[in-house]
Amino acid sequence: MIDERSRKKLILEHSRRMNAADIDGLLELYADEVTFEDPVGSGRRTGRDALREHFEELAAAGISEIPGEPVAGQDGVHVLVPVTATMDYLPKGPGFAERGWLTAPDTPENSRITWDYVLMMRAGAGGLIQELQMFWGRSDLDITG
């Protein structure tokens, strides 16, 4: 168990490193056998290699996360934060459109995706993140630009 303040700092540090596109630094926050699901309902993946691939795709799209106030669970392991994020439509947007999550824009090269989600993390031994889940649905996505 890690204290509430430390878990809140951990989830905010995740967003800071994501915004800096510091993938190696970001992965240092995670356990080797991390499980993650983005979005919840799309299927769980396991391990730092799969997480690296996921984060590299987001960084390639120029993701920018603006986290809200984190909330820590009283269980000593969970922390959640609401996030508003933006990223370029390309390269990930066409996959979102294929899944029916959004409508493809007329000018994909000039468009951005904006979405709201809740990021949930479960911390384990040594304060490393054991689990990451992102909760969002189709109504939480929008195209700008």
Side-chain angles (χ1 to χ4, degrees):
M1 288 181 31
I2 61 174
D3 66 73
E4 288 183 20
R5 185 169 287 132
S6 296
R7 282 180 278 139
K8 288 178 179 184
K9 286 181 181 178
L10 180 63
I11 204 165
L12 293 174
E13 182 62 15
H14 172 275
S15 287
R16 189 192 71 74
R17 292 182 189 191
M18 187 77 252
N19 289 342
D22 180 5
I23 304 304
D24 289 333
L26 188 57
L27 290 170
E28 290 173 358
L29 302 175
Y30 287 86
D32 290 338
E33 293 303 314
V34 61
T35 61
F36 69 100
E37 193 171 13
D38 177 15
V40 168
S42 65
R44 285 187 180 265
R45 293 175 273 174
T46 302
R48 278 190 181 176
D49 289 341
L51 192 58
R52 173 183 292 281
E53 180 181 329
H54 180 68
F55 288 155
E56 286 176 346
E57 289 174 353
L58 294 172
I63 193 166
S64 174
E65 292 186 339
I66 301 171
E69 284 297 316
V71 177
Q74 293 185 26
D75 61 359
V77 295
H78 286 94
V79 61
L80 295 92
V81 68
V83 175
T84 297
T86 58
M87 70 178 181
D88 295 337
Y89 179 79
L90 298 173
K92 289 187 69 72
F96 286 12
E98 287 172 15
R99 291 178 182 93
W101 293 346
L102 53 76
T103 301
D106 293 333
T107 57
E109 62 281 352
N110 297 324
S111 298
R112 292 185 58 79
I113 299 171
T114 300
W115 80 103
D116 296 312
Y117 50 89
V118 174
L119 185 61
M120 186 283 299
M121 294 180 183
R122 179 177 50 84
L128 295 177
I129 300 165
Q130 299 286 318
E131 180 180 18
L132 169 70
Q133 290 185 304
M134 294 176 68
F135 293 81
W136 56 272
R138 292 177 181 136
S139 64
D140 301 314
L141 291 169
D142 196 18
I143 298 289
T144 57

